[in-house]
Amino acid sequence: MSHDTNEAPSPAVADEKPKRSTRDLTKAAVSGWLGTAMEFMDFQLYSLAAAIVFNRVFFPDVSPAIGLIAAMATYGVGYVARLVGAIYFGRMGDRIGRKKVLFITIAMMGASTTLIGALPTYQTIGILAPILLVALRLIQGFGAGAEIAGATVMLVEYAPDKRRGLIGSLVSLGTNSGTLAASGIWAILLVVLTDDQLVSWGWRIPFLASFFLMLFAVWLRSNLKESPVFEDRADVVGGVALSRAEIEQVDAETKESVLESGLRQRKGRAFFVALGLRFGQAGNSGLIQTFLVGYIASTLLLEKSIATTAIVYGSLLGFITIPVIGILGDKFGRRPMYMILSAATMVLAFPLIYLVTSGNNATLIISVVLALNIGVLGLFSLESVTMAELFGARTRFTQLALAKEIGGILATAIGPLMAATLTAVTGSWWPIAAMLVVYSAITLVSAYLAPETRGRDLVRLDDAI
């Protein structure tokens, strides 16, 4: 037998599968929920601060309108950084493990959010203040780009096959938790503090307070065991994935067919299906949670609190919708649930948007709550597990992160802008409903083309299609 030191190491033996206890699963579940909650809380804290005070704190020497645009621009740079983070950390997570990456991303997100609360203002250090703000937003977005994808991968890879949909949906619950927490904190500050207090020091409170949440999250992830799927991968030796060259050197007697199935498969089909699944959920979210809120206030001339109240009620109902859809996906499969929710959104789009514009506050709130839960949160629950199951273990983290970020950026960037243009040109509400139909149709077709992934062996290196 050859003892050449340049020979690639043999993959781990298949039957020595790593075991995880219920306690390990609980830690993974809390870690995934908490990380996603922090991500959405951080971004919601910033978006609200940008809209309420940052134009006066960091851009006081320009007109209020220009200051608001500048504050919102610093919000936008985070999304550019997310895509870069998805690529960088996705590849790292597929190569050296999920745990290490998730530890880094949560620390980056938490530290940058805390430091925003400690930034000097424009009056103190001049133009350096907004520059530092943008730098911290870039760091925050860089870490966040892989956070929800990594948390999803870790949790789905931990979960028992028959409960994967339910357990994977816990990541989606983090979005509700974070958004509601940030909105609640700002609502309290706006009631308790005067405008001068809010601008001078009050805005710092939520950012600085997030430090304690970060400490708990970092501690929790430092005590989390690696994903059992990552450890059981045929191409992982000593905690690091073999390179392409090393795989090609492995003897034909040691799982060549398993390794080559992941190495030689032509990539792309699963990615584009996942992108289509993501497009509907993200597009509907941009229309309902972003554009419709502004449309109700600026075009329908109703109180802003009516739209935000509807979103809050819808988010609260989501704590029931998300796990229920996860359970149904486990019972009946991902494809049928995707197709049912997408078709339901298409059928209900015109009636619900019509009721939103009817002038009755009660029907408006009910319509927004239904649209949010069927067309956004229900799909999000399925997305958490289905996209992870579509991809092979060798590139799951990278492909999932990219599909989420690219789909999200395209759909949420194009949707509200197009809806604003079309409603202005037509002077009517129907373009909003039409766009909901189009976005949902993209997801419906993608679900039809997708294979059923329920119960798929996640250790396989090849994609599902």
Side-chain angles (χ1 to χ4, degrees):
M1 180 181 291
S2 171
H3 293 281
D4 187 277
T5 55
N6 293 322
E7 183 177 324
S10 297
V13 179
D15 36 283
E16 295 179 3
K17 293 188 176 182
K19 302 295 182 182
R20 295 291 182 268
S21 66
T22 303
R23 185 177 180 182
D24 293 329
L25 176 59
T26 301
K27 282 184 179 179
V30 174
S31 169
W33 165 78
L34 186 60
T36 307
M38 278 189 64
E39 174 187 345
F40 277 77
M41 187 178 77
D42 290 349
F43 270 71
Q44 185 72 356
L45 284 176
Y46 186 92
S47 64
L48 291 170
I52 297 169
V53 298
F54 276 3
N55 59 323
R56 291 180 283 173
V57 173
F58 292 102
F59 309 96
D61 284 355
V62 296
S63 69
I66 298 299
L68 181 59
I69 291 171
M72 287 299 178
T74 59
Y75 173 73
V77 299
Y79 282 93
V80 177
R82 287 177 71 99
L83 185 57
V84 180
I87 297 170
Y88 181 81
F89 287 118
R91 294 178 66 182
M92 182 187 293
D94 282 325
R95 185 169 183 273
I96 65 172
R98 314 340 186 173
K99 174 186 172 179
K100 294 174 184 176
V101 169
L102 285 172
F103 180 86
I104 296 170
T105 57
I106 201 79
M108 287 181 68
M109 284 168 44
S112 57
T113 301
T114 301
L115 288 173
I116 286 175
L119 278 178
T121 64
Y122 186 92
Q123 286 185 328
T124 306
I125 59 172
I127 192 64
L128 189 57
I131 291 174
L132 290 174
L133 180 65
V134 171
L136 290 175
R137 281 291 296 161
L138 287 170
I139 295 170
Q140 187 186 58
F142 187 59
E147 170 58 39
I148 192 168
T152 298
V153 168
M154 176 68 96
L155 196 49
V156 169
E157 290 184 344
Y158 251 90
D161 292 354
K162 294 183 179 180
R163 290 193 292 158
R164 219 182 264 160
L166 171 61
I167 293 173
S169 73
L170 296 177
V171 173
S172 305
L173 284 179
T175 64
N176 283 14
S177 305
T179 301
L180 287 171
S183 300
I185 290 170
W186 269 103
I188 293 170
L189 290 176
L190 289 170
V191 170
V192 172
L193 302 179
T194 65
D195 186 67
D196 287 341
Q197 290 173 328
L198 193 66
V199 173
S200 62
W201 54 268
W203 65 270
R204 299 182 184 275
I205 293 174
F207 293 98
L208 294 174
S210 70
F211 174 74
F212 299 101
L213 186 60
M214 179 196 70
L215 284 182
F216 176 68
V218 167
W219 171 81
L220 185 64
R221 289 198 172 170
S222 67
N223 289 282
L224 190 65
K225 292 181 181 177
E226 181 55 84
S227 156
V229 168
F230 180 82
E231 291 185 347
D232 197 38
R233 271 169 50 182
D235 64 330
V236 170
V237 177
V240 179
L242 300 176
S243 67
R244 176 179 288 268
E246 289 172 329
I247 289 176
E248 290 173 346
Q249 292 177 35
V250 174
D251 294 337
E253 300 173 1
T254 57
K255 294 189 179 178
E256 179 185 18
S257 60
V258 176
L259 291 170
E260 289 191 352
S261 67
L263 187 65
R264 297 182 180 179
Q265 183 189 33
R266 181 177 294 178
K267 301 292 182 183
R269 286 178 293 181
F271 180 81
F272 283 108
V273 167
L275 200 61
L277 296 177
R278 170 68 169 156
F279 210 81
Q281 185 275 329
N284 292 346
S285 175
L287 289 174
I288 295 168
Q289 293 181 272
T290 302
F291 175 75
L292 201 56
V293 171
Y295 181 81
I296 289 169
S298 62
T299 303
L300 301 182
L301 301 178
L302 299 175
E303 288 290 332
K304 292 181 181 180
S305 61
I306 295 173
T308 53
T309 297
I311 296 297
V312 168
Y313 286 162
S315 297
L316 289 172
L317 182 61
F319 284 99
I320 298 174
T321 300
I322 288 172
V324 167
I325 295 298
I327 291 170
L328 293 174
D330 282 333
K331 184 174 179 61
F332 299 108
R334 322 299 183 209
R335 286 183 73 240
M337 292 308 302
Y338 251 118
M339 295 171 73
I340 288 169
L341 289 174
S342 300
T345 305
M346 294 170 68
V347 170
L348 293 173
F350 278 88
L352 289 180
I353 300 302
Y354 171 75
L355 290 174
V356 166
T357 63
S358 66
N360 185 296
N361 290 349
T363 56
L364 182 154
I365 291 172
I366 292 170
S367 299
V368 171
V369 168
L370 287 175
L372 180 62
N373 278 268
I374 297 171
V376 180
L377 299 180
L379 292 177
F380 201 13
S381 176
L382 293 169
E383 178 184 296
S384 296
V385 63
T386 309
M387 290 173 65
E389 291 172 330
L390 276 172
F391 301 125
R394 184 168 171 81
T395 57
R396 178 171 294 127
F397 199 149
T398 305
Q399 291 200 81
L400 178 56
L402 282 175
K404 276 188 173 290
E405 295 307 318
I406 293 174
I409 290 171
L410 288 177
T412 54
I414 295 172
L417 179 61
M418 186 179 295
T421 303
L422 291 174
T423 52
V425 169
T426 62
S428 178
W429 55 267
W430 68 261
I432 307 171
M435 290 183 64
L436 286 173
V437 170
V438 171
Y439 280 138
S440 300
I442 292 172
T443 291
L444 179 63
V445 172
S446 300
Y448 176 78
L449 295 175
E452 178 53 63
T453 57
R454 178 181 55 161
R456 186 171 189 261
D457 181 5
L458 296 184
V459 182
R460 292 181 60 172
L461 302 183
D462 55 324
D463 293 343
I465 49 175

